[in-house]
Amino acid sequence: MVKNGAMQKSKQWNVRRAVWLAAIFHFLHSCGSGCLLPFLTLYFRHLGLSASMIGIIMASKHLLALVWRPLSSFLARQYDKRRTVIVGSLLSSALVVLTLLLFPSTGIQAESGRCNTSQPDADPTTILEWTTDPSQSNATVYSINQTSVSTEPPVEVTMLVSSNWTARGLRSLKKPQQEEDPHTEFLGSLKVMDAQHQMFFLVLIVMGVWEFMAAPLEWTADDGLYEYLDFVDATDHHNGMKVWKQLGAAFGNCAVGVLVTSLFCLAGTTVEFYSYTIFMILTVPTAALLPIYLRKRERPTSTGFKALQLVYGNSQAILCAVTVILMGMVNSAVSDFLLWHMQDCGATEIHMGISLALAHLSQASFAPIAGHVSRFLKYHGWLLVLAVVGLALQCLYYSFLWGPWAVIPAQLLAGFSSGALWWSITSQSEDIATPGTEKTIIKLFEVLSLELGATFGSLAAGFVVQKFGVRVLFQGTAVILGLWSSAVAVLKWKIPRQRRINYSRLLATDTEMSESESDQEKDWLETAMEDTLGNNKWTINKS
């Protein structure tokens, strides 16, 4: 008995240690992601890329993740290389992302005036890093508004940016015709492009390599931890990791916002990249100690296809799938261009970081009240309608921003949009899941929203912003979501609810009820015996 008790104590200690290590791992990794990922589109804007180009870059990133993340997770599981994949992904992504810092900007630095307070007599054109050369026939014209640090009113500066990157020491790819190599067709196509398109293709290549390195990490770590907890019958601890991810992202957003604003004149926006690299490296020790269940060679399972069949065979699940795709499109558009809009309203990185952090904290705080809200609505399907309405109100509010801090009320609604969405999706997955497929169904919905929907959303948003502007983007998405929320409400009411019987859950419930009934019977029997014994004593005393 002592031996068994010691074994049980050791087993409980290992589970507790595994949960804490996983929490630290997800917190640090989310901190790094929060330091950089939300601010990428701002950096691309600083490089001089157009909105449509940025939309294509972000859509390509999501499309690569859509294919590579599930495949890499499957391969890591099959060959028991999960820890190697996790550590390699952390280190390689931390180094590859620094390549973006090697690219020069196109000469437009809209925020350079923030660091010119020591030069009161400086001319506004001196803050531009490139020398203009109007004689270039293939020069690109940019027009920006710069506020001079002198006492003069704002001056509109129009400049001609040469396609030759001589100001930063980056030589033009153009060479004499006789020196061209017929086998280097790609480089040859770059030679005839202007500086902006050259920059676009270089950034696109680096982002593709970076996503290839970073994409396998999250699913591989999550699957390894889940299977470990499943092996020791402690999967109920797995859901707590989501809160640590939100807290880590909030800390990263807020910390990098403060650092960039404080050190902008010394380091600019490079702080975001170096912060990401530092956090990825700090995550490596926890990844090396992260408990991962190592499987023996097994025949590949087809839970992914089974999950597709279960979703396809249920009308309510199909409605959820269409909704998460649409929500993914809108969320991607918001994440890509909300900071653009805030910057146009005078916001700096500290305003952006705090507003993003509030959104994550709002989502984390929704979990404790989600059950009460679901019981109040009497059906988790209405949470889906609430999520669509919440995001529609957010987008409508975004279109009318007037100052740096004006975004905060809309960010607080994030808990009722994203939080309600995923709570409803989790409940829907439980309704249609068979034993062993619940987690796969949730991942399927995540892929549809975060990758497939985000691909279409980033692509469409880039062209809309390029053509009509950010305000029209947010107003259009608000109208679409408002119409879809009405359609979802009607369809939820019309489509009959189908719920699959989960026998394993029924057995667990039956076992708990049996134990409860046994305890009640035991209590009743003990009470009856005590009463009988008391009566016997009373009888003896009376006689």
Side-chain angles (χ1 to χ4, degrees):
M1 294 296 294
V2 175
K3 183 177 180 181
N4 292 336
M7 291 177 63
Q8 182 68 18
K9 183 178 180 181
S10 175
K11 180 178 178 180
Q12 292 177 355
W13 171 254
N14 288 335
V15 171
R16 190 178 298 111
R17 176 176 175 270
V19 171
W20 276 108
L21 281 173
I24 295 172
F25 171 84
H26 286 295
F27 180 84
L28 291 175
H29 179 256
S30 298
C31 281
S33 300
C35 286
L36 180 60
L37 293 183
F39 302 94
L40 271 178
T41 55
L42 275 184
Y43 184 75
F44 296 154
R45 188 186 200 185
H46 166 75
L47 293 180
L49 300 181
S50 65
S52 58
M53 291 179 176
I54 293 174
I56 294 173
I57 291 172
M58 300 306 292
S60 302
K61 175 181 178 294
H62 293 303
L63 184 61
L64 179 60
L66 173 66
V67 177
W68 178 234
R69 181 173 286 133
L71 180 59
S72 60
S73 176
F74 171 78
L75 294 176
R77 179 182 184 273
Q78 281 299 113
Y79 294 99
D80 284 338
K81 297 296 182 182
R82 280 174 170 162
R83 196 179 308 278
T84 303
V85 169
I86 294 171
V87 175
S89 178
L90 287 170
L91 293 176
S92 59
S93 62
L95 297 177
V96 170
V97 74
L98 296 178
T99 309
L100 291 172
L101 296 178
L102 301 178
F103 299 151
S105 69
T106 58
I108 301 176
Q109 296 190 2
E111 297 178 332
S112 297
R114 290 161 59 180
C115 300
N116 282 347
T117 55
S118 61
Q119 301 175 1
D121 298 328
D123 185 80
T125 58
T126 60
I127 64 176
L128 301 173
E129 297 184 2
W130 285 29
T131 57
T132 60
D133 188 2
S135 62
Q136 295 288 341
S137 59
N138 57 350
T140 305
V141 179
Y142 293 92
S143 178
I144 60 174
N145 291 328
Q146 285 287 359
T147 303
S148 173
V149 295
S150 62
T151 57
E152 297 295 326
V155 180
E156 182 176 342
V157 181
T158 305
M159 63 174 292
L160 296 175
V161 179
S162 172
S163 63
N164 298 325
W165 293 350
T166 57
R168 286 293 188 90
L170 185 61
R171 298 181 180 274
S172 174
L173 294 175
K174 292 187 177 181
K175 293 182 180 179
Q177 185 68 27
Q178 61 271 18
E179 296 182 8
E180 291 186 0
D181 186 355
H183 299 288
T184 57
E185 297 182 0
F186 178 72
L187 291 178
S189 62
L190 284 177
K191 294 175 185 178
V192 298
M193 295 180 184
D194 57 24
Q196 190 183 38
H197 285 83
Q198 289 177 359
M199 178 68 71
F200 165 68
F201 279 103
L202 290 174
V203 171
L204 183 64
I205 293 171
V206 173
M207 286 296 294
V209 175
W210 179 40
E211 186 64 25
F212 183 83
M213 299 297 181
L217 188 144
E218 190 170 355
W219 275 29
T220 303
D222 186 69
D223 290 344
L225 175 65
Y226 183 84
E227 291 182 5
Y228 175 86
L229 295 175
D230 184 50
F231 181 73
V232 296
D233 296 328
T235 53
D236 53 321
H237 295 283
H238 186 263
N239 290 332
M241 297 301 105
K242 297 178 181 179
V243 177
W244 288 103
K245 292 179 182 179
Q246 297 289 350
L247 294 178
F251 180 83
N253 294 152
C254 193
V256 81
V258 173
L259 287 175
V260 172
T261 303
S262 303
L263 304 175
F264 185 83
C265 297
L266 297 176
T269 57
T270 60
V271 176
E272 300 163 356
F273 291 84
Y274 290 122
S275 299
Y276 174 86
T277 299
I278 290 172
F279 274 112
M280 293 299 106
I281 294 175
L282 289 176
T283 312
V284 171
T286 59
L289 299 174
L290 193 66
I292 295 178
Y293 178 62
L294 299 178
R295 289 181 171 271
K296 297 180 180 180
R297 295 294 178 88
E298 299 176 353
R299 183 175 58 87
T301 57
S302 57
T303 54
F305 295 103
K306 181 64 175 178
L308 282 172
Q309 292 176 354
L310 291 173
V311 172
Y312 181 75
N314 187 282
S315 300
Q316 293 279 359
I318 293 176
L319 181 61
C320 286
V322 176
T323 304
V324 297
I325 292 175
L326 181 61
M327 294 280 282
M329 293 175 64
V330 176
N331 280 320
S332 178
V334 170
S335 63
D336 288 348
F337 295 104
L338 175 61
L339 299 190
W340 275 43
H341 193 30
M342 292 181 64
Q343 189 179 62
D344 295 337
C345 294
T348 59
E349 285 78 8
I350 191 170
H351 303 102
M352 302 172 189
I354 292 176
S355 64
L356 292 172
L358 288 176
H360 288 294
L361 293 177
S362 175
Q363 294 178 38
S365 63
F366 182 79
I369 65 173
H372 300 287
V373 176
S374 181
R375 285 191 293 271
F376 175 77
L377 297 175
K378 297 182 180 179
Y379 174 41
H380 62 76
W382 298 118
L383 278 176
L384 192 66
V385 181
L386 180 64
V388 179
V389 172
L391 187 56
L393 293 176
Q394 278 183 264
C395 292
L396 183 62
Y397 186 91
Y398 290 149
S399 65
F400 296 104
L401 292 185
W402 64 90
W405 294 111
V407 73
I408 289 180
Q411 294 298 87
L412 296 177
L413 281 175
F416 291 95
S417 56
S418 298
L421 172 67
W422 292 111
W423 185 271
S424 176
I425 293 303
T426 301
S427 301
Q428 180 64 52
S429 301
E430 293 174 353
D431 285 352
I432 65 174
T434 58
T437 62
E438 180 179 331
K439 188 170 181 292
T440 307
I441 293 174
I442 294 176
K443 280 193 171 183
L444 175 61
F445 283 120
E446 289 180 354
V447 167
L448 292 176
S449 177
L450 303 179
E451 308 304 347
L452 181 61
T455 299
F456 294 121
S458 294
L459 189 63
F463 286 100
V464 171
V465 172
Q466 181 81 15
K467 183 75 173 177
F468 304 104
V470 181
R471 293 185 183 273
V472 174
L473 171 68
F474 290 140
Q475 291 170 359
T477 53
V479 172
I480 293 173
L481 288 174
L483 294 175
W484 182 247
S485 64
S486 303
V488 171
V490 173
L491 292 174
K492 280 287 182 183
W493 180 59
K494 290 289 187 180
I495 299 176
R497 183 184 178 188
Q498 301 173 359
R499 186 170 184 179
R500 186 179 297 273
I501 299 176
N502 193 325
Y503 291 101
S504 61
R505 189 173 298 147
L506 285 177
L507 289 174
T509 305
D510 184 64
T511 302
E512 294 177 357
M513 292 179 62
S514 299
E515 292 177 354
S516 177
E517 290 175 358
S518 300
D519 292 339
Q520 292 176 0
E521 290 177 359
K522 184 178 179 180
D523 294 339
W524 172 82
L525 182 60
E526 289 178 352
T527 303
M529 291 177 65
E530 290 175 357
D531 292 342
T532 304
L533 183 60
N535 291 334
N536 289 338
K537 288 181 179 179
W538 179 81
T539 304
I540 293 172
N541 291 334
K542 184 178 180 181
S543 60

